[in-house]
Amino acid sequence: MPGSRIAVVDLGGTWVRVALAGRTDRLIERRQERTRLEEGPDGVIGQMARMITDAVGDLTVLTRVVVGSPGPLDPHTGTVYDAPNMTGWREVHLRADLDRLLRVPVTVMNDAKAAALGEYTYGAGRGSNTMVYLTVSTGIGGGVVVDGNLLLGVGGMAGEIGHMSIDRRGPTCKCGNIGCVEVLASGTAIARRFRERLAAGETSSVTAKTDRPTGADVSRAAEAGDPLASAVFQEAAECLGLGIVNCIHIFNPEVVVIGGGVIQAGPLLFDPIDRVVKERAMSMPASRVRVLPAALKDDAGLLGCVAEARRLARAGADGSSAA
Ligand SMILES: [Zn+2]
């Protein structure tokens, strides 16, 4: 249809971002607002509908809406089970509610899986066949594309790389498991480990500047050569490397793409990972894989939603199935 548009949404605990795409995959008519969490799920869904309506002007040109949403969710029904950092978001029928407001087919994807598909289609994984994606910030999200298809699993929760257990005596993760990659290598984990070692009597230049150092503080201090921050950061990078080794053995990917704030650390992150992969992974899959930083920054999720809309249009889907 000439002039038709798809709308893509990046829903987060802090920001709602909306953009449109037309004939090309370029994002246009961008909108960004603070997420109105205080208004509850209905308020935020209304906010998304209003932002989309404002961006597109005429709803009749809109052929599909794809939302990347936090949390475990069922992509087949578009129900968000329990979004972290979004108070009151339990069993939210995101697809049905947004569909009712806009009268347009709506698809809901997990945000990390949307970013994985974005990087695979337009970013660091472009041209590859099989790609593993991890995004490391306060938590660790993931997505896996095998032979061109985003892996979903029966309930849409495949690819939760952050909740791969790598230490059976490790700390307890918020998912209930023990020694998950997330509880050992996320930004939150880096900050926690750093504070534990300070409390145990070790010293660092960071404490002079802040009472409660974050993962980003530790990363910056490590870059500046602070020995304690460097040790903590390296330990986390090695844990991430262990998770990646497991992914290499399971998926034999061409590319492992790492996104999220942590990639700012550059060699401080990638050197320990490369070393662990060399030491621990079987030589054939290790020789065929490249571990790369994500290329699309904040747009990975929105572009992944565009890629999903294109896939659905090619498949002639009616919006009842999704990724
Ligand atoms: Zn976990």
Side-chain angles (χ1 to χ4, degrees):
M1 180 168 64
S4 68
R5 295 280 185 270
I6 54 169
V8 288
V9 184
D10 179 8
L11 171 64
T14 309
W15 299 105
V16 183
R17 299 168 65 225
V18 165
L20 305 179
R23 286 163 63 90
T24 72
D25 294 336
R26 196 168 57 86
L27 298 173
I28 54 173
E29 293 290 340
R30 290 164 178 271
R31 303 285 188 275
Q32 176 165 331
E33 292 182 8
R34 278 209 170 269
T35 313
R36 299 192 176 177
L37 283 183
E38 66 283 2
E39 294 179 18
D42 287 348
V44 174
I45 292 167
Q47 178 183 19
M48 284 190 273
R50 178 179 50 69
M51 288 170 71
I52 292 167
T53 307
D54 176 58
V56 75
D58 173 9
L59 279 175
T60 63
V61 304
L62 200 59
T63 55
R64 179 174 297 278
V65 176
V66 184
V67 183
S69 164
L73 57 84
D74 186 338
H76 307 291
T77 62
T79 300
V80 179
Y81 300 127
D82 186 6
N85 310 320
M86 292 177 58
T87 317
W89 280 67
R90 291 182 88 94
E91 297 290 325
V92 175
H93 302 291
L94 179 52
R95 188 180 89 192
D97 292 350
L98 201 52
D99 191 329
R100 199 173 306 121
L101 292 173
L102 294 171
R103 300 272 162 216
V104 172
V106 175
T107 300
V108 177
M109 306 175 78
N110 169 269
D111 52 3
K113 288 186 179 59
L117 195 59
E119 288 290 342
Y120 179 79
T121 312
Y122 305 107
R126 194 171 181 170
S128 68
N129 175 267
T130 295
M131 182 198 88
V132 170
Y133 173 81
L134 299 100
T135 174
V136 185
S137 53
T138 52
I140 296 183
V144 179
V145 182
V146 177
D147 297 332
N149 298 306
L150 189 63
L151 209 59
L152 289 180
V154 68
M157 283 194 59
E160 287 288 350
I161 295 158
H163 299 287
M164 174 187 293
S165 176
I166 54 169
D167 179 358
R168 74 192 182 94
R169 292 196 178 84
T172 302
C173 180
K174 67 175 196 286
C175 75
N177 198 353
I178 286 170
C180 291
V181 176
E182 175 168 301
V183 79
L184 293 165
S186 65
T188 313
I190 289 169
R192 189 199 65 239
R193 188 69 193 123
F194 184 74
R195 289 195 297 262
E196 283 168 2
R197 289 181 61 167
L198 283 177
E202 293 187 66
T203 53
S204 158
S205 59
V206 179
T207 42
K209 294 173 206 128
T210 168
D211 304 342
R212 203 172 164 78
T214 63
D217 291 330
V218 179
S219 165
R220 272 192 297 274
E223 279 173 74
D226 181 82
L228 178 58
S230 299
V232 168
F233 200 87
Q234 182 177 322
E235 209 171 73
E238 287 169 357
C239 289
L240 212 53
L242 279 180
I244 289 170
V245 167
N246 292 337
C247 290
I248 290 170
H249 289 157
I250 297 168
F251 300 110
N252 190 10
E254 285 164 278
V255 196
V256 174
V257 176
I258 305 178
V262 75
I263 64 172
Q264 307 283 351
L268 215 58
L269 175 75
F270 287 90
D271 288 355
I273 290 174
D274 287 344
R275 198 177 58 246
V276 170
V277 169
K278 265 202 195 74
E279 283 170 8
R280 297 222 186 192
M282 289 186 229
S283 59
M284 190 290 282
S287 71
R288 299 288 298 271
V289 71
R290 288 174 301 146
V291 180
L292 301 172
L296 302 175
K297 300 199 176 78
D298 289 347
D299 281 346
L302 289 173
L303 286 166
C305 291
V306 171
E308 179 60 7
R310 302 292 189 224
R311 186 189 71 81
L312 290 166
R314 281 194 304 274
D318 60 1
S320 59
S321 66

